[in-house]
Amino acid sequence: MMITAKASFVRTSPRKLRIVARAVVGLKPLEAISQLKLMHKKGAEVVLDVFQQAMGNAKNNFKLSPESLTIKSVQVEEGPRLKRRDAHAHGARFDAGIRRKRMAHVVVILEGKE
């Protein structure tokens, strides 16, 4: 049985979230949650929220205990980008740079034994 949880349009770059996601892939969900609570990264909060959401889905929707769950995958996909102007000096004012503010989608898939 597959249990999914998703966070869309997270205002953190996918690259930073993938670092956090790779750190917890081989662990059990309860171990992953305790590991994420100790991590000093902004992306750890986002991934932690998605893991807790997936655990809640398993408990409420499928009546599965947290001990019977395993992590099947943690996917971090690229979302849309916000494009913002970045002003430069007077000599280059017509050639202002573009700052891309990246977003990501995080999908956690847990597998439960019935």
Side-chain angles (χ1 to χ4, degrees):
M1 181 172 298
M2 310 281 275
I3 297 103
T4 61
K6 185 175 183 180
S8 298
F9 305 104
V10 176
R11 252 311 268 119
T12 305
S13 72
R15 182 177 179 181
K16 292 176 183 177
L17 286 172
R18 283 187 192 113
I19 293 169
V20 174
R22 285 189 194 118
V24 295
V25 160
L27 306 174
K28 294 190 178 216
L30 291 175
E31 293 173 8
I33 286 175
S34 62
Q35 192 79 14
L36 288 168
K37 286 181 181 177
L38 297 174
M39 224 179 260
H40 294 291
K41 292 210 171 272
K42 180 182 172 185
E45 277 186 38
V46 174
V47 177
L48 175 65
D49 288 343
V50 180
F51 262 101
Q52 289 175 337
Q53 180 184 355
M55 299 285 280
N57 290 345
K59 182 181 174 187
N60 295 327
N61 300 344
F62 300 105
K63 309 292 189 256
L64 295 173
S65 66
E67 292 80 23
S68 66
L69 298 172
T70 58
I71 298 172
K72 184 165 184 181
S73 71
V74 181
Q75 302 168 358
V76 179
E77 300 162 358
E78 195 165 327
R81 297 176 183 179
L82 298 175
K83 294 177 184 166
R84 298 291 180 257
R85 253 185 82 198
D86 193 12
H88 287 277
H90 289 290
R93 73 175 154 208
F94 297 113
D95 205 18
I98 295 175
R99 182 174 290 167
R100 290 166 198 87
K101 298 189 172 202
R102 290 168 170 84
M103 287 189 245
H105 305 308
V106 181
V107 180
V108 172
I109 301 174
L110 301 179
E111 198 166 36
K113 300 171 189 166
E114 296 180 20

